[in-house]
Amino acid sequence: MTVRTLVLLRHAKAETPGELPDFDRRLTEKGDADADAAGAWLADKRLRPDLVLCSSARRTRQTWQGVSVALAQADPESPSPEVHYEQRLYDGGRTEVIDLLRAVPDAVRTVLVIGHNPTMSDVSILLRPYDGEAQLTAMRTAGLAVHRAEGLWSQTEPFTMPLIGEHTARG
């Protein structure tokens, strides 16, 4: 059976909404450092994605940039993953994320999804098998949730991908 790993990442700290539309908010200096720290953590845990599904909003794209630089610095010989910028990760909710995961090719072993809350937290909670003791806390900015299961991506269903690790990256 194929083991598949899903890493959910809430974007790093973004500037406070102001004159710019929400979609165009940029990362703060702290957010840039946290994105780098998230990439370093992923590299340290050998969680190198084969595919990245990233919201098309500016702050998520900048988060991916920081993560990708840290991954490349940790292992310059490793190939860069395929990256898809998805408007549905900005506009949609957990249903859209599950639909995107079900469409992932079977050859892909590790997927990194970079998005927004409450959706990232909702998906992480939805995928966990119910054990009566789950701590249902919201992911913080630059928070990571790692899920793993056997089977095909097309078989992604609620309660079928146990949480195997969590981390909040702080630079």
Side-chain angles (χ1 to χ4, degrees), residues 19-33:
E19 299 296 314
L20 287 175
D22 179 72
F23 187 84
D24 295 325
R25 289 172 48 209
R26 294 181 294 267
L27 293 185
T28 63
E29 251 182 69
K30 180 159 181 27
D32 285 329

Side-chain angles (χ1 to χ4, degrees), residues 98-120:
I98 299 298
D99 288 346
L100 285 167
L101 292 173
R102 287 178 179 153
V104 170
D106 294 336
V108 173
R109 299 280 187 251
T110 302
V111 175
L112 171 62
V113 178
I114 306 172
H116 311 267
N117 251 9
T119 302
M120 292 295 94

Side-chain angles (χ1 to χ4, degrees), residues 134-156:
Q135 293 218 341
L136 306 179
T137 57
M139 293 172 70
R140 295 172 62 188
T141 54
L144 295 135
V146 183
H147 294 264
R148 189 166 283 150
E150 291 184 354
L152 305 174
W153 288 106
S154 61
Q155 298 169 332
T156 302

